[in-house]
């Protein structure tokens, strides 16, 4: 079943998008800001990327955005071990990281904020080793980084330019099925950034499972 944000594919597309956006807003725990993106409840294109540091990685080292200071573009992907869609995309993320690492000008970092046993650091380490991840795979225990970016699904991608402005956010490409992919949004966005240009497509609807945010009790 091809679904958007875990919603039935039988729903009309407009209803699925509307329902997904409502779910995203409730999940992040805030009302949409006036500066929210077309599909993102928190961020819009051109926003400064929220900084983060000291996130524990599967390599035993702490990671942060500052470690990519020499890169002209950074791809952040919010992903996890437990979402079938995220798992289906792992090979494509590895292939993307290969291409970007080869340029020496761009890099990928993956962030897992899910609060379930299969997404804790020990399981992440097993996954990274088994799939030979060639990028930093880090744990966002507080979920504050995911919330700051307005991440709602796994996998969800953000492309940052050399000034660490968000120039693209959404899906990696236009089809969950590899054989049906015609447009590679993230690759195209990075290519544009490396040429000093803006991506032709700057925002798309992410596809995957909802990020499993911890429930927060409302203060009386």
């Amino acid at each position: 079943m091809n679904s958007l944000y875990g919603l039935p594919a039988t729903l009309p597309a407009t209803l699925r998008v509307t329902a997904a956006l409502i779910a995203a807003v409730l999940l992040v725990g805030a009302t949409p800001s006036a500066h929210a993106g077309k599909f993102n409840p928190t961020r819009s294109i051109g926003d400064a990327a929220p900084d983060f540091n000291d996130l524990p990685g599967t390599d035993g080292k702490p990671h942060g955005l500052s470690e990519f200071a020499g890169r002209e573009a950074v791809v952040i992907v919010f992903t996890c071990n437990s979402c079938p869609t995220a798992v289906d995309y792992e090979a494509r993320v590895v292939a993307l990281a290969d291409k970007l690492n080869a340029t020496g000008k761009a890099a990928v970092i993956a962030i897992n904020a899910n609060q379930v046993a299969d997404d804790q650091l020990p399981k992440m380490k097993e996954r990274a080793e088994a799939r030979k991840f060639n990028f930093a795979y880090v744990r966002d225990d507080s979920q504050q980084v995911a919330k700051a970016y307005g991440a709602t699904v796994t996998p969800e991608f953000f492309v940052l330019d050399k000034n660490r402005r968000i120039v693209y956010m959404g899906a990696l490409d236009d089809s969950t099925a590899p054989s049906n992919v015609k447009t590679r949004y993230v690759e195209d966005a990075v290519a544009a950034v490396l040429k000093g240009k803006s991506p032709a497509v700057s925002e798309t609807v992410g596809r995957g499972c909802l990020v499993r945010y911890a429930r927060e009790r409302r203060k009386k």
Side-chain angles (χ1 to χ4, degrees), residues 42-87:
T42 303
R43 294 293 160 192
S44 61
I45 298 303
D47 281 355
D51 195 16
F52 57 88
N53 53 69
D54 295 327
L55 296 185
T58 57
D59 57 0
K61 301 176 183 178
H63 292 272
L65 195 54
S66 62
E67 72 187 73
F68 304 108
R71 305 296 178 104
E72 295 179 26
V74 177
V75 176
I76 298 173
V77 52
F78 290 91
T79 188
C80 67
N81 292 355
S82 59
C83 171
T85 307
V87 171

Side-chain angles (χ1 to χ4, degrees), residues 13-38:
T14 53
L15 290 180
R16 284 190 284 135
V17 171
T18 301
L21 292 177
I22 292 173
V25 170
L26 293 174
L27 195 62
V28 173
T31 55
S33 86
H35 304 292
K38 187 175 181 181

